[in-house]
Amino acid sequence: MKKRAVTQLFLMVCCFLAEPIEAYAEDSSIKLSACGHHDYPPWNWSSGSEIKGACAEVTKTLFANLGVDVDLTYVGPWKRCQSYIETGRVDINICSFINETRKSYSTFIATPMGFNEQAVFVNKSAQLTFQTWQDLAGKKAGMVLGVSIGQRFDRYLKNNTNIERVTTYRQNFHKLFHQRVDFIPVGRFSGLAMLQAFGIKDDIVDLPTSILTGNLYISMSKKSPYLYLLPEIEKQMQSDDYPVWVKSLLIKYAGVYAKEAQLTPIE
């Protein structure tokens, strides 16, 4: 029974990927630049000279179905990615939360490309509990430069906590391991993949109550001449098979990241 279910999932995914949209397939000369978060597995992360992960494969595949190539060459950390989208140097942001700042320079697809449950990660020995946002008041939050957890929660953190920002999640989890910050807000799936890679899954835990469940979206720079492609990308995301495909990619890339990272354990 289990084998049959896996086979059906494989066939659905293959079918979804195998249907190019002929209206755009004639123009194979279009090549768009894209960027994403450098440190947010399994959604996306920098791997050598490129961005890899579920968001990267989704974006590349959906545009490829229009006959459009997407260049996922790594352009720099998340904050630089946002800057390049704002100036038009890069066309596509492969996945991000929506906030007012990003809306000022990006056009977002209305249909989410994925759903990301945000959780509070803490050091086990700290015995910090979390039921409502108010439980975080006065605490020290570890965050990565340029990261948003959604506009309302961003505002709450800014007004009620002491935020320390660093370049990578490894730096953040190192600080949490040594109790130099009180908590890290991060996607549950991503955080658990990192704990495994960093060798600290017995020391750091994710608290069961969610901060929020955020929608992740594909967007394009308002300065890109290819904004007309977005409605055709969105049509593909409305397929019944699309959520199944994304779930399979998250499982796939959690494994890829754990194997690829082979990082020295945090200690």
Side-chain angles (χ1 to χ4, degrees):
M1 194 72 180
K2 185 176 180 182
K3 185 175 180 181
R4 183 183 301 170
V6 171
T7 302
Q8 288 174 338
L9 173 60
F10 176 77
L11 290 173
M12 280 193 295
V13 171
C14 289
C15 180
F16 181 77
L17 300 181
E19 298 182 2
I21 299 173
E22 294 185 9
Y24 291 89
E26 298 174 0
D27 189 352
S28 59
S29 62
I30 298 177
K31 186 168 187 174
L32 304 186
S33 54
C35 64
H37 200 288
H38 62 286
D39 189 25
Y40 208 66
W43 294 98
N44 41 257
W45 73 95
S46 62
S47 175
S49 62
E50 66 176 351
I51 287 287
K52 183 183 288 186
C55 296
E57 184 165 335
V58 166
T59 304
K60 195 166 184 72
T61 301
L62 298 187
F63 278 90
N65 286 342
L66 304 181
V68 175
D69 188 25
V70 173
D71 181 4
L72 288 163
T73 300
Y74 179 56
V75 300
W78 184 230
K79 193 171 183 180
R80 190 182 306 166
C81 170
Q82 296 296 327
S83 174
Y84 283 179
I85 293 290
E86 183 173 9
T87 61
R89 181 169 174 175
V90 170
D91 296 291
I92 307 166
N93 186 335
I94 61 176
C95 63
S96 72
F97 294 117
I98 293 178
N99 61 33
E100 291 304 313
T101 300
R102 292 173 189 170
K103 283 169 64 177
S104 70
Y105 56 77
S106 308
T107 298
F108 284 82
I109 291 178
T111 300
M113 66 79 55
F115 302 94
N116 194 18
E117 181 191 5
Q118 299 294 310
V120 172
F121 283 74
V122 299
N123 191 302
K124 263 186 183 178
S125 63
Q127 299 183 335
L128 190 151
T129 59
F130 172 72
Q131 294 296 326
T132 69
W133 292 5
Q134 285 70 32
D135 294 330
L136 303 175
K139 306 295 184 187
K140 189 178 293 185
M143 296 190 71
V144 169
L145 289 165
V147 164
S148 169
I149 310 291
Q151 190 170 346
R152 286 182 60 242
F153 189 67
D154 289 352
R155 188 182 304 118
Y156 180 81
L157 289 182
K158 181 178 178 181
N159 293 336
N160 297 279
T161 70
N162 178 17
I163 302 173
E164 291 192 3
R165 292 191 182 267
V166 292
T167 307
T168 69
Y169 277 105
R170 182 179 174 86
Q171 291 171 299
N172 259 341
F173 278 107
H174 184 272
K175 291 170 77 172
L176 186 60
F177 180 80
H178 290 286
Q179 299 188 60
R180 295 173 190 159
V181 295
D182 297 311
F183 71 96
I184 296 173
V186 64
R188 194 179 300 279
F189 209 146
S190 297
L192 292 173
M194 293 179 207
L195 295 188
Q196 182 73 31
F198 301 155
I200 53 173
K201 61 184 179 66
D202 295 329
D203 305 283
I204 308 297
V205 294
D206 57 316
L207 300 182
T209 302
S210 301
I211 297 169
L212 54 83
T213 297
N215 299 334
L216 292 170
Y217 297 88
I218 294 173
S219 63
M220 290 183 71
S221 170
K222 288 184 176 180
K223 295 186 178 180
S224 173
Y226 301 105
L227 285 166
Y228 65 88
L229 294 172
L230 287 183
E232 297 301 325
I233 297 298
E234 184 162 25
K235 285 179 186 176
Q236 299 178 71
M237 297 166 68
Q238 293 169 348
S239 160
D240 291 340
D241 295 335
Y242 176 79
V244 180
W245 177 48
V246 173
K247 185 175 181 179
S248 73
L249 291 179
L250 288 171
I251 295 169
K252 168 186 170 181
Y253 282 104
V256 170
Y257 179 75
K259 180 183 283 188
E260 181 182 285
Q262 295 183 338
L263 299 170
T264 303
I266 288 175
E267 55 185 29

